[in-house]
């Protein structure tokens, strides 16, 4: 059974940074695309960032480009989301997801394993 566990969320001021971690067990992520999504209250789940298993392809939603970086440590079965210069509109529950793809899909339906999420709250 695949388990995905996010951590690292918290409450910060605008302009500060956070790093989210995602540890996967029950599956080697070395052949899986990994992604982060987020869901703010009253809104649909939104794609944030993804990286292919080989790290040759990545994708970011425009609103986080230049501020967020997804990295992966396949040996540790862990992915990270470094979030810099956080804004109030980044407030959401952040979810890590794993899916079988050679690319960096942005569609949630292409990911088959999800974590429970970690809350990120950014205040002004």
């Amino acid at each position: 059974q695949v388990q995905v566990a996010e951590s690292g969320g918290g409450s910060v001021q605008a302009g500060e940074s956070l790093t989210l971690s995602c540890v996967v067990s029950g599956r080697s992520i070395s052949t899986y695309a990994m992604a982060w999504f987020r869901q703010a209250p009253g809104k649909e789940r939104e794609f944030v960032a993804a990286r292919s298993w080989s790290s040759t392809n990545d994708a970011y939603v425009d609103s986080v480009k230049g501020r967020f970086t997804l990295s992966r440590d396949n040996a540790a079965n862990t992915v990270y989301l470094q979030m810099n210069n956080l804004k109030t509109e980044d407030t959401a529950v952040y979810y890590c997801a794993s899916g079988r793809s050679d690319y960096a899909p942005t569609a949630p339906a292409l990911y088959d394993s999800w974590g429970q999420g970690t809350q990120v709250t950014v205040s002004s």
Side-chain angles (χ1 to χ4, degrees):
Q1 182 178 355
V2 180
Q3 293 186 323
V4 180
E6 306 96 336
S7 62
S11 296
V12 297
Q13 297 288 317
E16 295 184 341
S17 299
L18 274 177
T19 300
L20 306 183
S21 299
C22 168
V23 178
V24 179
S25 58
R27 164 187 290 174
S28 170
I29 70 169
S30 61
T31 56
Y32 285 81
M34 298 296 299
W36 288 93
F37 291 79
R38 66 186 179 187
Q39 188 166 18
K43 295 188 176 181
E44 294 187 353
R45 191 166 296 191
E46 173 191 37
F47 168 78
V48 176
R51 177 158 287 188
S52 62
W53 63 268
S54 62
S55 294
T56 55
N57 294 279
D58 58 26
Y60 293 89
V61 67
D62 285 347
S63 61
V64 308
K65 285 180 180 177
R67 299 189 298 121
F68 290 13
T69 302
L70 188 159
S71 60
R72 53 188 300 159
D73 182 344
N74 288 344
N77 245 32
T78 301
V79 295
Y80 305 94
L81 186 67
Q82 174 67 45
M83 306 185 294
N84 297 327
N85 190 24
L86 282 160
K87 303 178 179 181
T88 56
E89 53 263 42
D90 295 319
T91 294
V93 177
Y94 284 71
Y95 298 91
C96 179
S98 169
R100 174 75 78 176
S101 174
D102 290 338
Y103 302 100
T106 63
L110 296 180
Y111 294 89
D112 61 0
S113 295
W114 294 78
Q116 295 298 307
T118 186
Q119 176 71 48
V120 172
T121 302
V122 185
S123 57
S124 59

